[in-house]
């Protein structure tokens, strides 16, 4: 009996809306057009190290287009090259990449599709360099991956954050308060910029433009003088004051990228109160932005990127990820994609548009 060719899919890093839509796209194309057998590696690189996987039949990936999260599970700490063992004082890291690669080779797959952010794609690159046929698909709400104009998950997170800002607007207006809304985004300001503009934020603070709290306070006071007794401040979790540092929420020692940002919203609200004597409150959008169903845009993007990944497999173009450039789907080398975050360029046209409608960036 002729054995069917096999493909495996893994999802790594923080989840986001649209991952299941990619899993569906990859699996359906592989099954329908190539008659392949599909396997899902469980819990990101944990599953690869510990040889945990499941077979994905057509019916397993049918009906998941609109489902948030990932049916395979994910991990932000599992890295085969620096795999955490033990906890606290007994925590140590081991290079288990050989075991992980052996596990995939034993499964006999022609290609491993890694759906991940820059950290997971960096690992995918190393696995490819060490002998595996790997193709990446860029995923994150942060939109901070180099080589692609946009990542799936971003549009959905912008929609959630914008709805949050809209709802906060009405209570800010009613109570004549300053409302500070902290959004995610890691070290880049895409999410704060887009949701801030979509939600009509009066002040938008992003990591790429360090802010001066006196400028923020002046803007708030000027608005009050003009009769606008409330202000909406949208702050990226990675924003920092001029000459200052980011606010860190926690350190996850097991993680390859151990710093978790968060808390700037509270620091800023206190500073604004001190400077203006106006009442301020903080809302942290947090993981709400990663949950739930993908927007139509993200469903379409996820389907395009997933099917493009299988096309790369067909052409034997391993070591690349599927990506978007203008209105085209392209391939982009994994090592370059993982070479640090894609931040908002200072001359990004949207920043100028926002300034033109009176938005303050705190500079
Ligand atoms: O990369 C996605 C992201 O949600 C970032 O925006 C945020 O900084 C981080 O992950 C939060 O990580 P965790 O889920 O570990 O709290």
């Amino acid at each position: 009996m002729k054995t069917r060719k096999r493909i495996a899919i893994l999802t790594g890093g923080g989840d986001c809306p649209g991952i299941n839509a990619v899993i569906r796209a990859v699996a359906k194309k592989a099954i329908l057009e190539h008659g392949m057998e599909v396997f899902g590696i469980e819990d990101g690189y944990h599953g690869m190290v510990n040889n945990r996987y499941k077979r994905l039949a057509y019916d397993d990936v049918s009906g998941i287009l609109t489902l948030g999260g990932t049916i395979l599970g994910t991990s932000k700490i599992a890295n085969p090259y620096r795999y955490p063992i033990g906890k606290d004082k007994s925590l140590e890291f081991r290079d288990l990449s050989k075991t992980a690669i052996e596990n995939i080779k034993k499964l006999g797959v022609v290609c491993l599709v890694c759906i991940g952010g820059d950290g997971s794609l960096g690992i995918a690159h190393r696995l490819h360099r060490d002998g595996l046929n790997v193709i990446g698909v860029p995923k994150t709400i942060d939109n901070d991956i180099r080589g692609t104009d946009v990542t799936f998950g971003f549009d959905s997170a912008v929609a959630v954050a914008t709805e949050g800002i809209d709802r906060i607007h009405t209570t800010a207006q009613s109570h004549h308060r300053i409302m500070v809304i902290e959004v995610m985004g890691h070290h880049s300001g895409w999410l704060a910029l887009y949701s801030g503009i979509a939600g009509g934020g009066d002040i938008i603070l992003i990591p790429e433009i360090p802010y001066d709290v006196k400028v923020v306070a002046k803007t708030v006071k000027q608005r009050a003088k003009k009769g606008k007794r409330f202000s909406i401040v949208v702050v990226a979790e990675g924003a920092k004051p001029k000459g200052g540092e980011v606010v860190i929420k926690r350190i996850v020692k097991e993680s390859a990228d151990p710093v978790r940002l968060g808390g700037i919203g509270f620091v800023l609200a206190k500073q604004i109160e001190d400077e203006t004597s106006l009442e301020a409150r903080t809302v942290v959008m947090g993981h709400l932005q990663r949950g739930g169903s993908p927007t139509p845009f993200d469903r379409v993007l996820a389907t395009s990127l997933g099917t493009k990944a299988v096309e790369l497999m067909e052409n034997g173009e391993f070591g690349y990820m599927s990506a978007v450039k203008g209105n085209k789907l392209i391939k982009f080398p994994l090592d370059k994609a993982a070479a640090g975050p894609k931040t908002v360029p200072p001359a990004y046209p949207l920043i100028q548009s926002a300034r033109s409608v009176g938005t303050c960036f705190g500079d």
Side-chain angles (χ1 to χ4, degrees):
M1 199 180 83
K2 198 168 163 245
T3 52
R4 289 158 68 197
K5 278 193 180 165
R6 294 176 161 187
I7 188 170
I9 309 170
L10 170 154
T11 58
D15 70 336
C16 76
I19 299 182
N20 285 326
V22 178
I23 296 172
R24 168 185 177 269
V26 171
K28 281 196 171 182
K29 184 171 163 91
I31 293 168
L32 294 176
E33 292 186 356
H34 299 278
M36 293 178 91
E37 252 189 307
V38 183
F39 291 86
I41 310 294
E42 293 178 345
D43 300 335
Y45 291 108
H46 274 314
M48 205 174 146
V49 169
N50 299 303
N51 207 21
R52 286 195 284 115
Y53 58 86
K54 58 184 171 197
R55 192 165 171 272
L56 295 177
Y58 186 90
D59 282 349
D60 296 315
V61 295
S62 178
I64 63 169
L65 173 66
T66 62
L67 191 67
T70 159
I71 59 164
L72 297 178
T74 188
S75 164
K76 287 193 77 165
I77 53 180
N79 175 352
Y81 292 90
R82 196 172 173 271
Y83 194 75
I85 314 257
K87 264 205 164 282
D88 302 322
K89 283 201 175 127
S90 69
L91 176 68
E92 54 168 306
F93 295 93
R94 290 199 202 138
D95 182 351
L96 297 181
S97 56
K98 283 203 173 74
T99 310
I101 289 170
E102 268 316 298
N103 286 338
I104 293 293
K105 285 193 171 160
K106 267 192 270 163
L107 196 54
V109 298
V110 291
C111 174
L112 172 68
V113 176
C114 293
I115 305 168
D118 55 351
S120 305
L121 294 176
I123 296 169
H125 161 66
R126 292 179 76 176
L127 292 169
H128 173 249
R129 200 192 51 193
D130 290 343
L132 273 190
N133 288 343
V134 180
I135 286 165
V137 180
K139 160 242 66 152
T140 170
I141 62 163
D142 303 334
N143 194 34
D144 63 349
I145 302 180
R146 289 180 192 220
T148 187
D149 290 352
V150 65
T151 55
F152 72 86
F154 175 63
D155 186 64
S156 304
V158 169
V160 173
T162 304
E163 191 192 338
I165 298 167
D166 289 349
R167 287 175 184 274
I168 287 160
H169 233 119
T170 56
T171 167
Q173 241 160 350
S174 310
H175 287 267
H176 317 298
R177 278 176 177 153
I178 317 307
M179 294 297 288
V180 178
I181 301 127
E182 180 182 309
V183 301
M184 282 186 166
H186 209 210
H187 291 290
S188 73
W190 298 104
L191 198 43
L193 182 63
Y194 275 74
S195 62
I197 290 173
D202 306 299
I203 297 155
I204 300 174
L205 304 178
I206 60 174
E208 294 83 350
I209 307 177
Y211 67 87
D212 178 345
V213 75
K214 298 236 183 284
V215 174
V216 174
K218 196 172 153 206
T219 306
V220 166
K221 284 196 267 189
Q222 274 169 353
R223 279 177 53 81
K225 257 198 208 149
K226 285 189 213 148
K228 298 271 189 190
R229 294 162 63 203
F230 75 97
S231 284
I232 300 291
V233 184
V234 179
V235 60
E237 61 179 2
K240 46 184 177 293
K242 281 183 184 163
E245 287 307 322
V246 290
V247 178
I248 293 171
K249 185 165 69 185
R250 64 166 68 194
I251 300 286
V252 183
K253 279 196 214 144
E254 297 87 350
S255 177
D257 182 11
V259 175
R260 297 291 182 272
L261 300 172
I264 181 77
F266 295 100
V267 173
L268 190 64
K270 171 82 175 67
Q271 287 175 335
I272 295 174
E273 279 193 342
D274 291 347
E275 291 283 337
T276 63
S277 304
L278 295 166
E279 202 182 8
R281 292 281 191 279
T282 300
V283 175
V284 180
M285 293 299 297
H287 292 81
L288 277 177
Q289 296 158 108
R290 293 222 310 248
S293 187
T295 56
F297 179 88
D298 275 340
R299 294 174 199 183
V300 171
L301 180 58
T303 304
S304 307
L305 289 172
T307 51
K308 177 72 183 178
V310 179
E311 187 190 305
L312 296 181
M313 178 207 73
E314 288 161 3
N315 300 336
E317 293 174 303
F318 303 111
Y320 290 90
M321 67 174 190
S322 52
V324 179
K325 187 103 199 123
N327 59 3
K328 287 209 171 68
L329 290 172
I330 59 157
K331 61 171 199 240
F332 191 81
L334 284 172
D335 56 336
K336 291 205 175 117
K342 178 189 75 178
T343 51
V344 181
Y348 194 62
L350 201 51
I351 295 180
Q352 195 44 56
S353 300
R355 288 195 199 275
S356 301
V357 296
T359 309
C360 165
F361 283 87
D363 56 339

